Each structure stands twice: as C-alpha cells, then as structure tokens.
Amino acid sequence: VEHSREERQHHLPSILPHIRFHLMSSGDMAQILEHPLVRENPGTYEVIRNVVQRGTSNTKMRAGMDRQEMALIFSSSPAGGTEMHCINPRTGKHVRCPVTVDIDPVEGIETTVTSNNDIYMYFIKEKHYDQMSLHTYRHVRNVWEQLSLVCSSNSRDTQERQAETFVEVDGELYYLFFINLRAPCHFVYVRIRKYDQHTDQWLECSELRLSSRNNGIAVSCGPNIYVFTDKEMHRYHPSEDRWYKMATPNFYPDIGIARYLPFYSTVIAMTTEIFLVDRQMRKMFLYDTVSDSWTKLPDWSGVGRYDNLEIYNRYFFVLEGQLHVLVAYGSSGAHMVPEAHAWRVWVLDRLEGVWTELKGPNLPHEDHIVHTAALPVARMYLPCLTANGTVVQA
C-alpha cells in the first residue's frame, strides 16, 4: 500500500481483517503500530485491535497491542542521571525508564509529542549555551536518539533566551523563546525557529516585538501558536510565517486580562481550548480559540490540601481528554522541599465543575523535575516500555 498510497490506501480496511496479527510477536506488532500508515489513521489501529481480539478467541490480547496514554515526567537525581516516568493515574500504571542522554538539570529540557505520537526532546547542551540538541524517542527499543546538534549563529540570543517553548504544528517542530533587551532601550522580542529535518537546520521565522516589557507564555493550539503577555495577545500562523495581534477583551467587567495575566505561569492546550493558570492555582481561565471567548473555571479553593503541607509545585497535563494536575507538596519554610510520596493528582470534571482526587504516582521526593509545568502526553507501548524500564508500585 505504501508504494502507491493514493491508489491503494482505501483498500486497507478490507485487507486488514485477513491478516493474522494475533500470531505475530510483540516486537513485530509494536513496529506495525509505529508505521505511518497506522499512526496517521486512528481508524486503522482500531481495525487491527478488533482483528486481534477476534483471532485470540477471547484470550488475553498479545502484549504488542497493549498501548496506553501516559503523561511523561522527566526528573534528575542528586546522584546524577535522568529518568522518564510514564504515568496513568486512572489505571495506576507507572513505569520508570533511564534516559541515556547527558542533560544539564539546571537548564532543563523541553519536550513535545506530535500528532503522530512521535516524542521529541530539546535542550541546551551543558556548558555550551549556543549548542541546541534535539533527540527523538524510539518506542520499540525504548531509547533516545540524537537527531541534531546545531550551534547558534546569532550571538544576540545566546545569553538572553527566556521562557522557552518547544511545540509541534502540523508535523513541524518549532522552538520559541523570548529575548529581553535592556540596552539601549528595554524591548522584548519573540523569536521562532523551525526545524528542517532535510537540512538538519533551525530556520529563522518572523520575529515579533512586544509592547510589554515582560516575558509572556506561549502554546500551540490547532494550526497556530499563541503568545500571551500582561498587555497583549498574538497569534502566529506557521503556514504564512506571519504574526497577528489579537483583540484583548476583559474576562468580566471587573477583571481585565492586563491586570491578572502577569501572574499566570502555566498554559496548556486541549483540542481548540487553552487553559491559563496562576502560580498558586487560585485563578484559572479558559480561552476558546474558535469563539475567541474567555471563561472562568473552578478555582482551587477548598481542595488540594494534603496533611497541612503547602503546594511546592504543580504540573498540568491533558490525559484521555481531561485536564489533570500533578501536585507536589512540601513543608513550609524558607527551604521548602517535596515530602516523600507527597504527590497527588487531581482531574477537572468540566460538567460538574469540580476537581476530583486520583491516586498520585510514587515519585522520589529528592528528584528534581527538569521541564516546564505542562507535561507531554503520549501513547506508550507497555511491553516495550517495561522491557527496559521498572514498574513502580503505587
């Protein structure tokens, strides 16, 4: 089929039922599930799943078909080394895998998952701030491979990059960051680079100069990239390589975006909606990109308390179509640190307008989370994941 997709792809639904998938090894099955013809067509995966279920005559499905949507958490320990924790709070699954990549935990990393379920990691090389390293995750072998190591040719942004964001739009990778120039005048610029996999280069895109003197936050949603600051909103169209300034409405008559947005530290997208959350989770708003409207969501008051501990940090993620937050709790004080096993997960019920607690993962309390407050989510192949990883008991 792949040799002539346009003429043959429509035959796939009639061909697949005649293939004995249930007789294949888990490794072969995982490779098939990673094939573009399967990944680009969710319906094809369901056809294969149904065929396997029928072929096994109600016996347990072979391991190669066992894939699950999981949030990815990257952490580093004081002893050195980085790990990837894959969690699904609803099913209780938690697998810990080593990341055999030299990462500087101080600088942290940026990760993104494409619509084809490809996982990419981007970070600045330790002690070489002008070297940008790009890696991809290979599901079948459960390893990370380096795709690119590029040196920046522009000295202006090597020391001033802030609020970095790594996203995917329509299969293309984009690296966005803010540049805060203080001399001779105080300006903030937004710069975007697009990764060209054919030339292994990061291409410069249109630059945006902000009216605000403060950095903003950015997120991809649908075919666009959105930037929010304390004074303005902008939308970048990758297909046009062009920025559009958007109207800045009030949330409500007495609550303006210019008043509250500087305190928002997390932004995360789900389908056509964008969630903005303040640092203490006391205010949460939703922006609908289709209707160009804002909605206030249930706040965190009255929930989220745990053994009189304070919120040390929180990490949002969208799993199985619902907004979740992983909360780390710590003792109060000048040097607050996460307590052992003091991790909880909460999920937002949009219909009821309430937060419900789920069982949190058993994360090492001394570890340091090395990425931003929005966790990537991917469909992970459990047999391949557990073959080289460690299943963590709740």
Side-chain angles (χ1 to χ4, degrees):
V1 173
E2 67 180 358
H3 291 294
S4 182
R5 289 194 180 190
E6 294 183 357
E7 297 181 0
R8 303 176 183 178
Q9 189 164 358
H10 68 280
H11 292 298
L12 269 181
S14 60
I15 295 174
L16 292 176
H18 299 284
I19 301 177
R20 299 179 179 180
F21 291 105
H22 64 283
L23 299 180
M24 295 183 179
S25 67
S26 60
D28 290 338
M29 206 57 245
Q31 288 186 358
I32 290 176
L33 292 174
E34 282 199 50
H35 195 283
L37 283 173
V38 176
R39 292 185 306 176
E40 295 171 5
N41 186 354
T44 301
Y45 169 76
E46 294 302 326
V47 171
I48 296 177
R49 185 185 183 95
N50 293 335
V51 170
V52 173
Q53 287 178 324
R54 291 198 301 270
T56 52
S57 301
N58 295 324
T59 60
K60 185 178 180 180
M61 192 187 311
R62 294 189 67 89
M65 293 300 299
D66 191 7
R67 68 176 179 176
Q68 190 172 121
E69 198 170 59
M70 309 181 84
L72 311 180
I73 308 168
F74 295 85
S75 67
S76 64
S77 66
T82 302
E83 290 185 322
M84 178 177 68
H85 297 261
C86 307
I87 66 168
N88 185 311
R90 184 183 59 81
T91 63
K93 288 287 186 181
H94 179 186
V95 183
R96 187 179 73 236
C97 301
V99 178
T100 56
V101 177
D102 184 18
I103 301 174
D104 180 7
V106 176
E107 296 297 340
I109 63 174
E110 295 290 337
T111 52
T112 189
V113 179
T114 70
S115 54
N116 290 334
N117 204 42
D118 293 321
I119 307 173
Y120 292 95
M121 174 197 301
Y122 173 94
F123 61 93
I124 305 299
K125 290 289 287 184
E126 183 179 7
K127 298 180 182 179
H128 297 283
Y129 200 69
D130 62 340
Q131 289 188 353
M132 302 174 291
S133 184
L134 177 65
H135 294 251
T136 187
Y137 176 75
R138 302 301 184 187
H139 287 268
V140 175
R141 289 180 289 142
N142 190 19
V143 297
W144 290 88
E145 291 184 358
Q146 181 172 291
L147 293 181
S148 171
L149 180 60
V150 179
C151 294
S152 173
S153 59
N154 193 328
S155 60
R156 183 180 66 162
D157 58 38
T158 56
Q159 300 299 325
E160 298 291 342
R161 281 189 293 241
Q162 300 178 12
E164 297 166 299
T165 304
F166 182 45
V167 299
E168 176 255 357
V169 178
D170 293 335
E172 302 287 352
L173 298 177
Y174 294 87
Y175 167 54
L176 180 148
F177 55 96
F178 293 79
I179 303 176
N180 201 318
L181 300 179
R182 302 182 183 277
C185 300
H186 193 155
F187 295 118
V188 176
Y189 289 88
V190 181
R191 302 193 66 188
I192 294 184
R193 290 173 179 162
K194 173 183 175 182
Y195 179 65
D196 188 332
Q197 59 181 342
H198 302 293
T199 62
D200 187 26
Q201 295 292 325
W202 289 90
L203 308 178
E204 297 287 346
C205 302
S206 294
E207 185 177 83
L208 172 67
R209 176 176 166 177
L210 299 174
S211 300
S212 171
R213 293 188 175 186
N214 299 317
N215 293 327
I217 46 181
V219 66
S220 65
C221 187
N224 303 310
I225 298 175
Y226 293 82
V227 169
F228 303 88
T229 76
D230 58 341
K231 294 182 178 179
E232 54 200 306
M233 300 165 49
H234 296 266
R235 182 176 63 235
Y236 174 73
H237 286 231
S239 59
E240 304 175 12
D241 187 25
R242 182 177 177 182
W243 288 95
Y244 290 88
K245 187 171 184 179
M246 305 168 62
T248 308
N250 290 332
F251 296 124
Y252 293 100
D254 59 339
I255 302 179
I257 185 172
R259 178 182 175 186
Y260 284 103
L261 197 54
F263 303 101
Y264 289 89
S265 58
T266 300
V267 58
I268 187 169
M270 182 172 69
T271 60
T272 61
E273 300 172 324
I274 299 175
F275 298 86
L276 294 101
V277 189
D278 75 326
R279 188 172 299 276
Q280 298 299 324
M281 297 175 61
R282 295 171 181 168
K283 299 182 180 67
M284 179 180 298
F285 289 90
L286 180 148
Y287 173 67
D288 191 311
T289 62
V290 176
S291 62
D292 189 25
S293 60
W294 291 89
T295 304
K296 190 178 187 301
L297 297 178
D299 60 30
W300 194 248
S301 59
V303 297
R305 301 191 179 279
Y306 175 65
D307 289 350
N308 296 320
L309 298 177
E310 296 184 15
I311 294 178
Y312 171 77
N313 213 334
R314 74 285 182 281
Y315 307 90
F316 286 86
F317 57 97
V318 175
L319 183 71
E320 298 172 343
Q322 291 182 293
L323 182 65
H324 294 67
V325 58
L326 169 67
V327 183
Y329 294 91
S331 301
S332 60
H335 302 286
M336 184 170 65
V337 296
E339 295 289 336
H341 314 308
W343 295 85
R344 291 295 181 269
V345 174
W346 299 77
V347 58
L348 175 62
D349 187 328
R350 295 280 297 277
L351 295 178
E352 299 293 332
V354 296
W355 288 91
T356 303
E357 183 179 3
L358 302 175
K359 189 173 182 61
N362 185 7
L363 295 174
H365 70 283
E366 71 274 9
D367 279 16
H368 171 64
I369 305 300
V370 293
H371 55 64
T372 54
L375 303 180
V377 172
R379 298 184 303 278
M380 307 300 291
Y381 302 115
L382 292 180
C384 303
L385 194 64
T386 56
N388 298 314
T390 302
V391 178
V392 180
Q393 301 298 325

